[in-house]
Amino acid sequence: MAAPGSSFTSPVADALYAPGSGVKNVDGVLRQLVNGASVWTVALTLFLMLVVYDQTMYIYRKGSIAGPRLKIPFMGPFLESVNPKFEAYKAKWDSGELSCVSVFHKFVVIASTRDMARKVFNSPMFVKPCVVDVAQKLLRPTNWVFLDGKLHVDFRKGLNTLFTRRALELYLPGQEEVYDRYFAKFVQDSENAGGKPLPFMSSFRELNCAISCRTFVGHYTTDEAVRKIADDYYLITAALELVNFPIIIPFTKTWYGKKAADMVLEEFSRCAAKSKVRMAAGGHVTCSMDGWVKAMLESQEYREKVAKGIPVEEADKPAILLREFTDAEISQTIFTFLFASQDASSSATTWLFQLLADRPDVLAKVREEQLHVRDGEKDRRVDMDMLDKMVYTRAVVKETLRYRPPVLMVPYMVKKDFALTASYTVPKGSMVVPTTYPALHDPEAYPDPDTFNPDRWITGTAEQQVKNWLVFGTGPHYCLGQTYAQLNLMALIGKASLQLNWAHHATAESETIKVFATIFPQDDCPLVFTKQE
């Protein structure tokens, strides 16, 4: 026992135990516990501060527009966005002319009305198309679609010649060649299934990929490569969904999409090299790639003559002087054509075949017109003059695009604070998304908008509603191939009406809209095809 008045040192106080006592250094253990508790306390405090910051920034950015009062910390409605529902989109559009969500680091403003959408489309000083975070990795950062301002305008001018009337007519034989092959395949697939309905959505995707490849790269790629591109394009579409992981992690959607995109770009680079050799040898233009390469060669020839002091008549001067583009640059540009057309055209084709199968009176009128423009020769090949005369078929295509618009929303990045209304400014760095569906289903522009009625384009006032016709966007980034897309659909369904019979086996989900980049019937359109005698 300690002597009176002497000090007693607690083992807890200085953690020193009598030598040989066998008792551990308790103070060291406690210090570790205290320090550990401090780490967890700091971590929890930081987490709560980040949550508060995340919520505060969301509320600040949201301002007075429609949207959830609070967001799920950090990720927001990410899980809902992984499997998007059309009904959820529509509810968001109906909630107000402007609404918002916040997913991870992205604050997104949705412009739902016609006027709000048009304001975004027509404000290049404030916004630029952004697709999604991984798009630059898939399409490449140097791709022309990521150019802005004058650089974009100048590059686009050089591509306009690929979609003139003359150019579009040159593409028709290749397109019709693809129609013939796939129509025969559709009939054979139905026969192999014993006449039972098959979901044809994926077949229509392959068809449209083949059409695009023949139009854009001609016969420089093989049928096997086209099938590979069509199969793998699902992976690219999935990787470019509006909400996805912003970085590429192995074995995720973005990783598989990047591998598929690399394959397509390599294939198109090989096509570009072949086109340059053929066009330099005096070959005829059969596809977009040929037309572009020929324009480069003509520009080069003109510059050489000028440099040598050789007089050139004004009429012989190229409309647009182009520099020489590398195989990789050509490949990237042609890939964007495929990117812009594949999903949208596949969606439109699927709905066209379903809608006409369910409306035999409409299909009968299309057939009647097709025979008329061909002077009664059902096997006559299509040309531009025939397409000009397809008044009703054009109305059917335009009504399909209005009734089931393939592109519901177009994402833009806000370059600087953007005052969309007198009371709300979209913050710089946010994403703003103009929508097309509400404008195309506006009852003031299109009476009874939820009814499929091609006659509204002939005897009604639909053609006058140019401000509502947002199927291909508007402003400086409107779809370069909008005329091509509509003529292709007209030629496709016109020929099908004369060569095929098809029956739609409707299900409870046939009219339910599935969102996969674009929109499709939820049941993937079960059909049976037979050859028309």
Side-chain angles (χ1 to χ4, degrees):
M1 180 178 288
S6 66
S7 64
F8 175 76
T9 304
S10 166
V12 176
D14 66 5
L16 294 176
Y17 281 59
S21 67
V23 181
K24 302 282 187 179
N25 188 328
V26 176
D27 183 52
V29 174
L30 288 177
R31 186 177 293 114
Q32 290 179 3
L33 290 174
V34 171
N35 289 342
S38 297
V39 169
W40 282 108
T41 301
V42 170
L44 180 60
T45 301
L46 285 174
F47 175 77
L48 292 175
M49 289 174 65
L50 289 172
V51 170
V52 171
Y53 174 79
D54 187 48
Q55 296 291 348
T56 301
M57 289 305 298
Y58 167 72
I59 294 169
Y60 171 74
R61 291 167 176 162
K62 174 182 178 295
S64 59
I65 65 175
R69 289 180 60 246
L70 299 173
K71 62 172 285 192
I72 299 173
F74 309 120
M75 72 176 186
F78 171 72
L79 296 179
E80 297 174 22
S81 304
V82 170
N83 184 26
K85 302 293 184 184
F86 175 79
E87 293 75 16
Y89 283 153
K90 191 170 186 308
K92 180 66 69 175
W93 303 332
D94 292 342
S95 68
E97 65 175 4
L98 295 176
S99 58
C100 67
V101 293
S102 182
V103 181
F104 291 124
H105 63 298
K106 288 291 185 186
F107 180 72
V108 183
V109 175
I110 300 164
S112 300
T113 64
R114 179 199 71 182
D115 292 341
M116 285 293 100
R118 288 184 65 86
K119 186 168 185 178
V120 176
F121 282 130
N122 288 291
S123 298
M125 291 292 293
F126 293 92
V127 299
K128 64 178 180 178
C130 65
V131 198
V132 292
D133 288 333
V134 298
Q136 290 198 10
K137 297 181 178 68
L138 270 65
L139 302 178
R140 301 299 188 265
T142 54
N143 201 302
W144 77 283
V145 295
F146 302 118
L147 297 177
D148 196 22
K150 188 176 185 301
L151 289 174
H152 173 267
V153 172
D154 290 345
F155 197 106
R156 187 185 178 99
K157 285 179 181 177
L159 301 177
N160 285 334
T161 57
L162 307 182
F163 296 96
T164 62
R165 180 182 176 87
R166 173 58 181 156
L168 295 178
E169 186 156 36
L170 291 173
Y171 309 151
L172 287 175
Q175 292 167 218
E176 198 156 11
E177 172 192 319
V178 175
Y179 304 160
D180 290 338
R181 188 167 71 253
Y182 276 86
F183 288 173
K185 182 179 183 298
F186 293 169
V187 172
Q188 189 61 56
D189 288 346
S190 292
E191 288 178 358
N192 293 343
K196 294 181 180 178
L198 297 172
F200 265 87
M201 187 267 276
S202 59
S203 297
F204 291 144
R205 285 181 64 90
E206 184 180 329
L207 162 67
N208 277 280
C209 185
I211 294 170
S212 295
C213 286
R214 281 293 170 263
T215 302
F216 303 146
V217 300
H219 286 277
Y220 298 121
T221 188
T222 64
D223 292 341
E224 181 181 354
V226 169
R227 284 192 292 272
K228 174 67 173 172
I229 292 171
D231 289 343
D232 286 3
Y233 206 88
Y234 267 111
L235 304 174
I236 298 171
T237 300
L240 291 172
E241 288 176 330
L242 188 58
V243 177
N244 225 323
F245 285 108
I247 58 175
I248 295 178
I249 301 172
F251 308 110
T252 61
K253 288 181 181 180
T254 51
W255 185 78
Y256 286 114
K258 176 68 163 54
K259 289 174 68 69
D262 290 346
M263 180 272 293
V264 175
L265 287 167
E266 288 175 9
E267 179 65 23
F268 285 177
S269 287
R270 288 191 287 269
C271 293
K274 295 174 186 176
S275 177
K276 285 180 176 179
V277 171
R278 181 172 168 273
M279 297 313 295
H284 296 295
V285 173
T286 61
C287 62
S288 300
M289 186 176 282
D290 283 347
W292 200 19
V293 169
K294 183 179 180 180
M296 293 178 210
L297 294 173
E298 290 174 345
S299 294
Q300 180 182 352
E301 181 182 0
Y302 171 79
R303 288 193 181 94
E304 289 174 353
K305 287 182 178 179
V306 171
K308 294 175 181 178
I310 300 174
V312 179
E313 296 289 336
E314 189 65 26
D316 295 331
K317 180 180 178 181
I320 299 291
L321 284 175
L322 301 179
R323 64 175 174 84
E324 183 178 356
F325 292 88
T326 66
D327 295 347
E329 288 175 316
I330 295 172
S331 173
Q332 290 174 22
T333 302
I334 296 299
F335 187 26
T336 63
F337 293 173
L338 180 64
F339 169 67
S341 65
Q342 172 62 10
D343 292 313
S345 295
S346 299
S347 169
T349 300
T350 304
W351 288 110
L352 256 179
F353 276 92
Q354 175 169 308
L355 290 166
L356 267 61
D358 292 343
R359 293 161 178 81
D361 57 323
V362 174
L363 179 54
K365 289 181 181 179
V366 170
R367 281 183 173 137
E368 180 182 3
E369 181 176 75
Q370 292 301 313
L371 276 174
H372 176 71
V373 300
R374 288 173 167 81
D375 296 326
E377 301 175 32
K378 62 181 295 187
D379 295 324
R380 186 174 170 184
R381 312 304 275 182
V382 72
D383 58 36
M384 291 298 289
D385 289 338
M386 277 190 221
L387 288 166
D388 289 340
K389 298 174 184 176
M390 295 180 189
V391 176
Y392 189 75
T393 306
R394 177 179 285 103
V396 168
V397 167
K398 294 197 73 168
E399 181 65 355
T400 301
L401 295 172
R402 183 206 66 80
Y403 182 68
R404 291 290 184 262
V407 179
L408 298 177
M409 299 178 285
V410 184
Y412 281 77
M413 179 62 66
V414 179
K415 297 189 289 185
K416 57 184 177 181
D417 288 355
F418 182 19
L420 262 179
T421 69
S423 60
Y424 185 75
T425 297
V426 186
K428 175 184 176 181
S430 303
M431 186 182 289
V432 61
V433 184
T435 62
T436 65
Y437 191 93
L440 293 163
H441 284 254
D442 180 354
E444 293 186 10
Y446 307 106
D448 196 10
D450 295 324
T451 296
F452 181 81
N453 177 20
D455 289 324
R456 74 172 79 241
W457 297 94
I458 301 171
T459 59
T461 62
E463 286 287 0
Q464 301 170 25
Q465 311 304 323
V466 291
K467 288 188 175 181
N468 285 72
W469 181 246
L470 297 179
V471 172
F472 298 98
T474 187
H477 291 276
Y478 76 89
C479 178
L480 194 65
Q482 59 177 306
T483 300
Y484 157 73
Q486 293 175 82
L487 293 180
N488 172 52
L489 291 170
M490 290 164 58
L492 172 66
I493 202 65
K495 187 177 183 69
S497 72
L498 297 178
Q499 302 293 326
L500 301 172
N501 292 312
W502 64 95
H504 177 223
H505 291 250
T507 72
E509 296 184 321
S510 291
E511 291 299 324
T512 301
I513 295 174
K514 174 174 66 175
V515 180
F516 181 62
T518 52
I519 62 173
F520 297 92
Q522 185 67 48
D523 60 6
D524 291 341
C525 193
L527 299 171
V528 174
F529 282 93
T530 56
K531 184 175 175 58
Q532 188 178 143
E533 300 300 336

